[in-house]
Amino acid sequence: MSNTLDQLRRQFATPCPTLTAVREQYFPHIRTDRYLQNEIRAGRIPLKLTKLHGSARAKPVVYLHDLAAYLDAQAQQAA
């Protein structure tokens, strides 16, 4: 039986998919990255955003282990 992190590693080609890719896959009800970022910053969605370099144009990414922890916590809450 594989765990959430293993499934995410198979789903995404990178260990740190962009916020856009995560939003499209797991938050289809949220239409923009900006709104999702606001929800994360406000603490309503407990995910951690990172930028791979210091450029203002760098896209925010989510590390797979953080996404897996979030999804597992959501599953625990639902159970």
Side-chain angles (χ1 to χ4, degrees):
M1 184 169 125
S2 77
N3 65 24
T4 306
L5 184 56
D6 289 337
Q7 291 174 3
L8 289 172
R9 283 182 178 141
R10 283 193 298 275
Q11 180 179 357
F12 293 103
T14 176
C16 45
T18 63
L19 181 64
T20 303
V22 171
R23 177 182 54 78
E24 288 171 351
Q25 188 68 40
Y26 292 99
F27 302 94
H29 59 288
I30 295 177
R31 293 183 179 208
T32 66
D33 288 351
R34 180 175 290 190
Y35 185 77
L36 181 54
Q37 280 181 307
N38 290 340
E39 292 293 290
I40 291 169
R41 284 189 191 117
R44 290 185 282 274
I45 297 175
L47 269 178
K48 182 179 169 192
L49 294 179
T50 307
K51 288 189 177 187
L52 295 181
H53 51 85
S55 168
R57 296 179 130 188
K59 294 191 181 286
V61 298
V62 177
Y63 281 98
L64 290 183
H65 63 272
D66 292 331
L67 180 58
Y70 169 76
L71 293 173
D72 288 341
Q74 292 299 105
Q76 283 292 108
Q77 243 179 4

